[in-house]
Amino acid sequence: MAQGGSRSIAWLGAGALVGLVAAGLSLLGSGAGAPALPEGAVATVNGAALRAADYQRALAALESDRRNPVGAAEERFVLDRLVDEELLVQRALELGLAKSDRLVRNQLVTAMIAAVTEDAALAEPDEATLRAFHAGHPDRFTEPGRLRARQLWVRAAPLRSEAEARARAADAAARLRAGAPFDAVAAALGDPLVAPLPDAPLPAAKLAGYAGPDALAALAAAAPGAVSEPLAFAGGFQVLLLSAREAPVSLPYDAVADDVRAEWRRRAGDEALRRYLAELRERAEIEIAGPAS
């Protein structure tokens, strides 16, 4: 019996917060004068209806966790737990937990946002709408430009001092700017790097992952052929030669149709939420303290 009691408490606790959110949003359903058993309900608790859909969902959850079929005793067990949950929810609201408990408040806000934006999330705009949205937001559906750079690295300690390494890297940069072949300069002045920058076009984020944010900043606005100053990197100094720059590419609608639909829905949900909040503010009495003098 002890194990069964523990499972009952755990089952009840797992659903209590969800029930509190639902009850908070529905304001505990109908009032004290509601019928004893409204349509679509399996019970009422202080006038609040327990929906048959919630009862069936709880039964299905119990069935999925058992090998034997659910009988009358289990069905009553589930109903009793829903009643207990509703009693706890009602008491929690009476005690003001929906306002004072940060977790409950966050859950309520999240649930309310989901309820407001649900229609937008389920909307199925026609293709003409999506194509127009795609055409009107080209920056959102563009493949970022890529940079192709060569990397020369000069090791400092313990091979040489920091000053010597910096001077060697500066010499390499000067030779590259003078037009010396990169491979020849790297062979004469560079050192092997464990994870060198690939000699291939890379998105900006990936280039920064290999060579660091300073490298990306040095090349972000540079023209092909530009050579960076020596940059501290991996216990030494690196010099970068930008060999090519690929411009961003606008992606055709057919290649990103799913992304277009998802972004349209997201923005439609944001707009629905903004409208709903504006309506709530219009109906509300809001007083805000002025700035401290």
Side-chain angles (χ1 to χ4, degrees):
M1 286 297 291
Q3 183 177 3
S6 299
R7 291 190 62 186
S8 299
I9 294 172
W11 188 92
L12 175 61
L17 184 57
V18 177
L20 177 57
V21 172
L25 291 178
S26 64
L27 300 180
L28 291 179
S30 53
L37 203 60
E39 183 179 355
V42 291
T44 60
V45 181
N46 295 326
L50 300 184
R51 300 187 310 165
D54 294 333
Y55 172 66
Q56 293 299 331
R57 190 179 301 112
L59 273 181
L62 182 62
E63 285 180 334
S64 67
D65 197 34
R66 292 171 55 88
R67 293 183 179 179
N68 299 324
V70 171
E74 290 77 17
E75 291 174 353
R76 183 54 190 248
F77 167 82
V78 169
L79 183 57
D80 285 343
R81 296 294 75 75
L82 290 176
V83 170
D84 291 343
E85 178 185 290
E86 179 64 26
L87 288 169
L88 288 174
V89 166
Q90 292 184 19
R91 183 55 178 157
L93 292 175
E94 289 174 359
L95 294 174
L97 291 184
K99 290 186 176 182
S100 62
D101 187 286
R102 174 54 56 182
L103 176 60
V104 174
R105 287 177 63 88
N106 290 343
Q107 291 279 0
L108 284 170
V109 169
T110 300
M112 195 67 234
I113 290 174
V116 173
T117 60
E118 181 179 10
D119 288 344
L122 298 176
E124 187 56 51
D126 58 38
E127 185 171 336
T129 298
L130 292 176
R131 286 187 178 275
F133 180 77
H134 171 264
H137 300 83
D139 293 344
R140 175 63 182 80
F141 306 107
T142 297
E143 188 173 88
R146 298 190 297 176
L147 303 173
R148 182 169 188 161
R150 305 292 301 275
Q151 179 188 42
L152 184 152
W153 180 67
V154 179
R155 186 176 184 180
L159 190 60
R160 52 184 72 89
S161 69
E162 181 175 330
E164 290 172 332
R166 183 188 294 273
R168 191 179 180 95
D171 184 17
R175 295 191 193 187
L176 292 173
R177 292 193 185 102
F182 182 89
D183 290 338
V185 176
L189 299 174
D191 296 304
L193 193 57
V194 175
L197 183 67
D199 183 17
L202 298 174
K206 196 163 187 179
L207 186 145
Y210 274 103
D214 290 343
L216 178 59
L219 301 180
V227 177
S228 74
E229 296 296 330
L231 304 170
F233 181 71
F237 293 88
Q238 65 176 339
V239 174
L240 297 153
L241 167 65
L242 182 62
S243 53
R245 175 187 292 277
E246 296 182 1
V249 177
S250 295
L251 299 172
Y253 171 79
D254 291 338
V256 291
D258 290 342
D259 292 338
V260 174
R261 181 178 293 101
E263 181 65 10
W264 185 93
R265 287 173 171 167
R266 186 190 68 79
R267 296 196 185 197
D270 288 348
E271 180 58 29
L273 180 59
R274 279 193 292 269
R275 289 195 304 267
Y276 192 82
L277 286 171
E279 293 172 3
L280 291 179
R281 283 176 171 268
E282 188 174 347
R283 298 200 306 261
E285 294 182 5
I286 302 174
E287 296 182 5
I288 300 177
S293 57

